[in-house]
Amino acid sequence: MNIWITVLIIVLAENLTMVTEFLLLGFSSLGDVQLVLFVVFLFLYFVILSGNVTIVSVIRLDKSLHTPMYFFLGILSTSETCYTFVILPKMLINLFSVARTISFNCCAIQMFFFLGFAITNCLLLGVMGYDRYAAICHPLHYPILMSWQVCGKLGALCGVGGFLASLTVVYLVFSLPFCSANKVNHYFCDISPVIRLACTNTDAHEFVIFICGVLVLVVPFLFICVSYICILRTILKIPSADGRRKAFSTCASHLTVVIIHYGCASYIYLRPTANYVSNKDRLVTVTYTIVTPLLNPMVYSLRNKDVQVAIRKVLGKKGSLKLFD
């Protein structure tokens, strides 16, 4: 991570801008409702952390979950934890703070890590779709198609690709001049609210950002759709109803997360900045910055029988150890 930050600081040093800090307006227009939001978001933050940490710990401790599907799920849960850590603590502080400022460099760093983990999640969901395709459509070749060497390379590729794409977008946003306007109509430094404050024409930069959005959102989503068309055709050929139900159940949770994550992200990032509507967009953003990380451990994992059994086994072992202490 130090390399990424160093590169980002070098990029920011080249920008001769008059703005030294931004004001995050967030939910300031809601007045006393902010106290309620603080309690709700704090509770959800602890649920997200505890859920994702539980998933990562159980996958690591239980050998029966040492499979490619749970390997990628562990990476996704780790990324989701980091993803929320970039956004929520600052948002919670701002709900109680009068001075909701963030320095120019910190704003760029926040956007870099937020987009880095968000794009990594998108790519991981695509890889997880491929994993389900390989498991269901090519079960005999699955150990070769998804060997640990292949899994490691795919996981690394998602992380490196995610942060390279993020660095490109952050460079395009913060290489623009910012003259006097510094009020970001959002609760964190997102692309559209920040780029709108630039005091120059941003069309060329926005077009390149849009192309990046297509590459990291539309391309993986189309790949997932093709994978699931193949999966559906294979499932329909399974003679027993129980076999079809079992095969589909392994994909249902993944599809739920994919639809919510890609749907909300596409709505925000695959349209011109001029169409940004603060209140409506903030609600959609809350969905994929808070609700999606909350759903991942519950919908994708905690409802999974293998994970439930593994959790009971891990808790049982800890209970046995305490009795012998």
Side-chain angles (χ1 to χ4, degrees):
M1 286 299 176
N2 290 334
I3 297 173
W4 294 113
I5 296 174
T6 303
V7 173
L8 190 58
I9 290 171
I10 292 170
V11 168
L12 294 174
E14 296 175 358
N15 187 358
L16 301 175
T17 186
M18 293 170 64
V19 172
T20 58
E21 63 181 17
F22 292 104
L23 179 65
L24 297 172
L25 296 181
F27 301 97
S28 57
S29 61
L30 298 179
D32 294 338
V33 179
Q34 291 179 95
L35 179 60
V36 178
L37 289 177
F38 176 84
V39 174
V40 172
F41 289 149
L42 182 64
F43 172 74
L44 292 178
Y45 184 47
F46 281 126
V47 173
I48 290 168
L49 287 180
S50 58
N52 283 299
V53 169
T54 299
I55 294 305
V56 173
S57 301
V58 168
I59 290 172
R60 186 171 175 272
L61 294 171
D62 195 290
K63 290 183 179 180
S64 66
L65 299 182
H66 291 182
T67 63
M69 183 175 81
Y70 293 109
F71 170 75
F72 291 119
L73 183 57
I75 297 176
L76 182 67
S77 293
T78 303
S79 181
E80 292 283 14
T81 303
C82 298
Y83 170 78
T84 53
F85 183 73
V86 172
I87 302 296
L88 286 183
K90 178 66 176 174
M91 184 186 74
L92 290 169
I93 292 169
N94 286 347
L95 284 170
F96 266 135
S97 176
V98 177
R100 303 158 190 255
T101 57
I102 184 170
S103 71
F104 184 86
N105 287 349
C106 286
C107 184
I109 291 170
Q110 185 188 55
M111 185 184 293
F112 169 72
F113 281 108
F114 166 72
L115 291 176
F117 288 118
I119 296 170
T120 297
N121 292 347
C122 288
L123 299 178
L124 278 170
L125 288 171
V127 169
M128 291 168 81
Y130 172 72
D131 172 70
R132 292 298 82 211
Y133 161 78
I136 294 171
C137 299
H138 301 283
L140 297 178
H141 297 97
Y142 183 69
I144 299 171
L145 292 173
M146 297 303 292
S147 65
W148 286 116
Q149 188 177 9
V150 172
C151 290
K153 288 179 179 178
L154 287 173
L157 191 63
C158 289
V160 173
F163 281 94
L164 276 176
S166 175
L167 185 64
T168 303
V169 172
V170 171
Y171 171 75
L172 289 167
V173 173
F174 288 91
S175 61
L176 293 165
F178 294 86
C179 301
S180 58
N182 72 334
K183 292 182 179 179
V184 178
N185 198 3
H186 213 333
Y187 57 86
F188 70 99
C189 291
D190 205 0
I191 299 169
S192 293
V194 173
I195 205 170
R196 293 180 81 198
L197 302 177
C199 52
T200 187
N201 187 283
T202 61
D203 290 347
H205 287 237
E206 285 189 55
F207 178 73
V208 179
I209 291 171
F210 175 78
I211 297 300
C212 290
V214 169
L215 291 175
V216 301
L217 286 171
V218 178
V219 173
F221 182 71
L222 289 176
F223 180 76
I224 291 170
C225 289
V226 172
S227 297
Y228 273 101
I229 289 171
C230 296
I231 288 170
L232 184 61
R233 289 174 61 184
T234 303
I235 289 175
L236 292 174
K237 292 177 183 177
I238 298 174
S240 68
D242 187 58
R244 288 195 296 270
R245 182 187 56 77
K246 188 176 180 181
F248 185 74
S249 67
T250 63
C251 305
S253 298
H254 178 249
L255 271 175
T256 304
V257 175
V258 164
I259 291 168
I260 295 172
H261 188 87
Y262 280 97
C264 295
S266 297
Y267 174 79
I268 295 293
Y269 297 110
L270 296 182
R271 61 189 179 129
T273 303
N275 293 341
Y276 175 78
V277 183
S278 59
N279 292 332
K280 189 176 179 181
D281 286 3
R282 267 202 299 268
L283 182 61
V284 176
T285 307
V286 165
T287 302
Y288 73 83
T289 56
I290 299 175
V291 177
T292 304
L294 183 68
L295 285 176
N296 276 350
M298 291 194 299
V299 173
Y300 204 102
S301 302
L302 297 181
R303 291 183 62 196
N304 184 298
K305 289 183 179 179
D306 293 336
V307 175
Q308 289 176 357
V309 170
I311 290 173
R312 283 195 288 267
K313 281 167 64 178
V314 170
L315 292 176
K317 286 179 182 178
K318 287 185 177 180
S320 299
L321 289 172
K322 285 181 180 179
L323 288 173
F324 288 107
D325 285 343

